Amino acid sequence: MRKKILLSTIVSFVLLAAVIAAGINAVFTVSDVQTEYVVYSAEGRAESAQLNEKLGRYRGKSSTFLDLNDVKATVEQFPCLSAERIEKKYPSAVSLTVRERKETYAVRQENGFAVFDEEGRYLYEKADNVNRLDGDKNILLEGFSFVCKERTAAEGEYAAELFAAFDTLKETLGSIRANVLRAELKKFSSDGRTHFFYLYMREGVMLSIKNPARAGEEKAAAAVEKYLSLTDKQRVKGVIDVVDDLITGTGVNVSYSDEFVPMA
């Protein structure tokens, strides 16, 4: 008799646990994937639609045990899309913001171009230097040799200094591609004091930053301040030179000339 009572109690407990588990599962099950998209190109909109279909497979999954890294990995199947925010909204929703990474820079490769986003992170290789946002060209980077890893900032000589300089320009100018056509690393000797960043602006003037390894951001800020002070006529030619202040040993000197005389 005691065994029957014990067995009945165990069965009742198991059934109760199953009912509770089923109830919890019904409540804590993903029924809604709320995705906010910030895209800029027709390709970005098409990829967003494809991503929506892929995210649909998370509906019906347990929201408790859902790994948000899996959701992030699904987004990252598309190189130009980035999950800026992913979170669970208990009991039954997953919410995320997905932004399109903007093609901005390109480095010539043997069979095409390595393309980087506006933060200098690698996107992919493509045959032509044609920006997917507007059909114009990405800013061509010449003389640089970068290591390219998926979704990782470019690595290599002067990579950090170059993109820090671009960030400084972007703070003032806004859309960097609207102002800069290409950038060139020029080295006249092994001495870093004879190394230059040449930034070619759309109007025609060039920004020349000497010894960019030293105070590169300060020099970039001085260059863009001088650029904005020029008249429209001045901007169509010449060069803005930014160099170390050799007299004080600190700070920088900036000047404009309507003719560019390259270093011998």
Side-chain angles (χ1 to χ4, degrees):
M1 187 67 177
R2 289 181 179 178
K3 289 183 179 180
K4 288 183 179 180
I5 294 174
L6 179 60
L7 180 60
S8 178
T9 301
I10 293 173
V11 170
S12 298
F13 179 79
V14 170
L15 289 174
L16 177 61
V19 169
I20 292 173
I24 291 174
N25 185 63
V27 173
F28 291 92
T29 295
V30 177
S31 62
D32 189 18
V33 180
Q34 304 166 355
T35 310
E36 177 186 357
Y37 290 100
V38 182
V39 296
Y40 311 97
S41 69
E43 290 180 63
R45 288 188 286 275
E47 290 170 356
S48 297
Q50 296 171 37
L51 175 59
N52 249 349
E53 292 185 12
K54 290 180 178 290
L55 292 174
R57 70 184 180 89
Y58 293 106
R59 292 187 178 90
K61 302 285 187 181
S62 167
S63 57
T64 302
F65 298 105
L66 177 64
D67 188 344
L68 294 182
N69 287 323
D70 291 341
V71 180
K72 181 180 179 181
T74 301
V75 175
E76 292 183 351
Q77 291 178 21
F78 300 86
C80 269
L81 298 183
S82 177
E84 294 198 334
R85 176 189 59 84
I86 307 177
E87 60 184 6
K88 296 178 183 179
K89 288 192 172 181
Y90 287 107
S92 59
V94 175
S95 178
L96 62 159
T97 300
V98 176
R99 183 179 296 274
E100 182 177 6
R101 299 165 63 194
K102 296 181 181 179
E103 288 188 7
T104 304
Y105 308 101
V107 176
R108 196 181 303 276
Q109 303 288 299
E110 184 176 352
N111 297 314
F113 298 87
V115 180
F116 301 83
D117 70 11
E118 60 187 337
E119 296 179 4
R121 297 176 301 171
Y122 178 67
L123 283 169
Y124 38 54
E125 289 193 16
K126 59 194 304 185
D128 301 307
N129 183 21
V130 178
N131 188 285
R132 73 187 228 152
L133 273 67
D134 53 22
D136 201 351
K137 295 184 181 297
N138 295 302
I139 297 172
L140 186 62
L141 307 180
E142 299 178 307
F144 297 90
S145 180
F146 294 148
V147 175
C148 305
K149 297 179 182 178
E150 184 179 353
R151 295 181 177 271
T152 301
E155 298 176 354
E157 185 181 30
Y158 285 115
E161 291 86 351
L162 176 67
F163 292 113
F166 273 130
D167 283 344
T168 299
L169 264 65
K170 190 165 55 180
E171 288 176 5
T172 301
L173 299 177
S175 175
I176 195 73
R177 285 180 55 245
N179 296 90
V180 183
L181 283 175
R182 62 188 178 96
E184 181 181 11
L185 171 62
K186 202 74 173 177
K187 298 191 289 185
F188 291 95
S189 75
S190 59
D191 187 341
R193 291 172 294 180
T194 66
H195 296 177
F196 293 79
F197 286 167
Y198 291 159
L199 307 182
Y200 297 87
M201 310 302 279
R202 284 189 177 271
E203 299 94 332
V205 71
M206 184 182 76
L207 313 185
S208 173
I209 298 176
K210 185 178 182 182
N211 191 15
R214 179 191 173 281
E217 293 178 61
E218 181 181 356
K219 290 173 181 175
V224 74
E225 181 180 357
K226 187 67 174 179
Y227 166 76
L228 291 174
S229 74
L230 299 181
T231 65
D232 291 343
K233 184 178 180 179
Q234 288 175 315
R235 288 187 191 179
V236 301
K237 63 179 181 178
V239 59
I240 295 171
D241 285 299
V242 187
V243 301
D244 297 317
D245 187 336
L246 299 180
I247 296 177
T248 65
T250 61
V252 300
N253 285 330
V254 59
S255 62
Y256 168 77
S257 172
D258 60 7
E259 292 186 5
F260 171 54
V261 179
M263 181 176 178

